[in-house]
Amino acid sequence: MHDEKSHPPGHLNPGTAPLTLYIQDLLQRLRAFDRRKPMHWDIAVTAFWVVVAVLDYSTGGWRTVARNREAPEQLVLLMSLCFSVPLLWRRQRPVAVLVLMAPVSLLNIWTGAVVQAAMLQLIPAYTIALRLPLGVLARSGLLMCLPAAAGALLIPGTADQQLVSYLWAFAFVTLLGIAVRTRREYTEALVERAHRLERERDQQSQLAAAAERARIAREMHDIIGHNLSVITGLADGGAYAAAKSPERAAQALEAIGTTSRQALTELRRVLGVLSEPAPEAELAPQPSLADLHVLLTGVREAGLPVRLTVHGSPPSEPASPGRQLVVYRVVQESLTNTLKHAGPDPTAEVTLTYTPAGLEVLATDTGGGGPQRGPGVDGPGTGRGISGMRERAALHNGTLESGRLPTGGWQTRLRLPPEEDTAP
């Protein structure tokens, strides 16, 4: 077992990394330098090829392939510079660089000097294949090979030496540029797809978090609003009974304590979902239709006479927990609104009707109420009561109507379709 040591990013572990990783690391460093200082890189590349072209002239290397070794040396130097210096603009204006080199290439072939710097035309051709449309690439190839074709026609016996070599060289750099371009575009597409998936994942997380916040807000509203309304009713009744019947006042205080403890327990369960770690949160079943009698008992103890009536027979299969929770919360919110807004001495009635068309829940009261009692209003500045009930009903493809009765009082009607017709 060898001892592995950590190395900072961008540094390879000597003796363990293959040669390809060194090459990739070097290429990444060169690309990073090019992105930071493109002009410095262009000057460095151009200076390198200028030096190579001048060395070819000064050492007489051009004479080894020249057809005319007596060509004027000043002309050879000028052509070498004309092929190398324009490379400084090869990325900004590659087509213009080829246009500038074309007459120099024709002169090079015509004089018979055949300086090797003429092959530098392949560099802007590669840039065109890498960045510009294929139509521009075809015209650039024609522009590059025309001088060689003209030289082959004017100077017999040079077709193989000039034209064919130009065509093969242009074909090679074209294929290389297209291959690099294809790989780059494919890599960019993969990166963009990864970024898009990441954005979609973040959006889904935000939507899920918003939906969870709305669900928790509804639960907290129903728990706190209902229990505080019951406590308020018990406190008012206890204060009224304290002078005449102390034992009734003691019963009211005891009921207030019981209701408060129940509210705190339910509130802890809801807030426990938000705690970390989640598996340690206290879990408990949500209220169901079987808990309606407990709810009605608490409301009666708060001073609101309420009667429950059931028509029809429930389905043989019990309703889903979510469906039962909707019915429970709608009844709870309706009775809470009655306690808060119905005025003095109201009565309430809750009717559950089972039919082949689904389940209908009707909650009515005989209270008058004030201007605060209206659709989507649940006391000053909240606006969560009836709107929350509608949201719950919509989750199960149900509808909820709420409004004043012609004879006075208030009614809330919930209609839920048969459970097999409810969207998941």
Side-chain angles (χ1 to χ4, degrees):
M1 296 292 291
H2 63 276
D3 184 20
E4 295 183 354
K5 297 181 179 180
S6 60
H7 293 268
H11 294 274
L12 298 175
N13 189 2
T16 60
L19 179 61
T20 54
L21 293 183
Y22 284 103
I23 296 175
Q24 292 177 6
D25 182 64
L26 178 61
L27 291 176
Q28 290 177 0
R29 291 173 182 271
L30 291 176
R31 292 192 190 102
F33 177 78
D34 187 21
R35 287 192 296 267
R36 292 194 307 269
K37 300 179 179 180
M39 182 55 67
H40 291 68
W41 179 254
D42 290 342
I43 293 175
V45 171
T46 303
F48 172 78
W49 289 114
V50 168
V51 170
V52 171
V54 172
L55 285 176
D56 182 62
Y57 154 76
S58 62
T59 59
W62 62 276
R63 288 189 173 92
T64 59
V65 294
R67 294 192 316 273
N68 180 15
R69 295 177 178 151
E70 303 302 326
E73 293 187 356
Q74 293 81 1
L75 181 61
V76 172
L77 176 61
L78 178 62
M79 289 190 297
S80 299
L81 294 176
C82 288
F83 281 125
S84 56
V85 173
L87 294 178
L88 184 62
W89 299 278
R90 75 190 188 282
R91 289 199 286 191
Q92 293 85 354
R93 299 182 180 275
V95 178
V97 171
L98 274 184
V99 171
L100 179 62
M101 291 180 176
V104 183
S105 177
L106 181 60
L107 181 62
N108 181 44
I109 297 173
W110 179 260
T111 60
V114 194
V115 295
Q116 298 301 301
M119 301 306 294
L120 294 178
Q121 296 176 91
L122 297 175
I123 296 179
Y126 171 80
T127 304
I128 293 172
L130 186 64
R131 299 185 177 183
L132 300 182
L134 293 179
V136 178
L137 176 62
R139 292 192 293 271
S140 301
L142 186 64
L143 180 64
M144 179 178 171
C145 295
L146 271 180
L153 292 175
L154 296 175
I155 306 173
T158 61
D160 292 341
Q161 183 181 1
Q162 297 295 333
L163 181 58
V164 175
S165 62
Y166 268 67
L167 288 174
W168 276 110
F170 180 77
F172 173 77
V173 298
T174 297
L175 293 177
L176 179 62
I178 292 175
V180 174
R181 178 177 186 172
T182 302
R183 182 180 180 276
R184 179 181 296 177
E185 291 176 350
Y186 177 71
T187 304
E188 291 175 352
L190 289 179
V191 172
E192 174 59 27
R193 182 171 180 269
H195 289 166
R196 184 173 66 252
L197 291 175
E198 185 177 357
R199 290 193 297 269
E200 291 176 357
R201 182 198 63 191
D202 294 340
Q203 291 173 356
Q204 291 295 333
S205 299
Q206 293 173 2
L207 291 175
E212 185 65 12
R213 285 196 298 268
R215 186 189 69 82
I216 293 174
R218 286 196 300 266
E219 291 296 322
M220 293 184 65
H221 170 271
D222 293 340
I223 293 170
I224 297 175
H226 171 73
N227 286 287
L228 286 181
S229 297
V230 172
I231 291 172
T232 301
L234 290 170
D236 292 341
Y240 176 78
K244 299 181 178 180
S245 179
E247 63 278 3
R248 293 291 301 276
Q251 293 175 0
L253 292 175
E254 183 180 356
I256 289 174
T258 302
T259 305
S260 301
R261 285 190 293 273
Q262 291 175 352
L264 287 174
T265 301
E266 293 186 35
L267 186 59
R268 288 194 191 101
R269 288 169 180 165
V270 174
L271 296 180
V273 178
L274 304 178
S275 64
E276 292 291 343
E280 296 181 2
E282 184 181 357
L283 302 178
Q286 290 279 20
S288 63
L289 294 179
D291 299 310
L292 280 179
H293 69 282
V294 178
L295 172 66
L296 300 182
T297 300
V299 172
R300 294 187 187 106
E301 290 178 354
L304 174 63
V306 57
R307 183 177 61 180
L308 174 64
T309 305
V310 179
H311 297 296
S313 300
S316 57
E317 291 291 333
S320 64
R323 188 181 178 93
Q324 295 188 48
L325 179 63
V326 171
V327 175
Y328 181 92
R329 292 302 189 197
V330 167
V331 173
Q332 182 186 56
E333 180 63 24
S334 301
L335 298 178
T336 300
N337 286 341
T338 301
L339 284 170
K340 294 169 64 176
H341 306 304
D345 300 325
T347 61
E349 182 174 1
V350 177
T351 304
L352 272 63
T353 304
Y354 293 94
T355 66
L359 170 63
E360 179 179 289
V361 181
L362 179 64
T364 60
D365 64 58
T366 59
Q372 296 175 352
R373 200 175 185 191
V377 177
D378 182 43
T382 59
R384 289 295 309 169
I386 297 177
S387 62
M389 289 192 288
R390 287 200 177 101
E391 292 172 2
R392 290 183 182 276
L395 289 176
H396 292 265
N397 286 351
T399 59
L400 187 133
E401 301 171 358
S402 185
R404 297 185 185 278
L405 292 169
T407 58
W410 193 269
Q411 75 169 1
T412 300
R413 187 186 303 271
L414 169 68
R415 293 188 177 93
L416 294 174
E419 192 149 17
E420 59 269 19
D421 296 338
T422 303

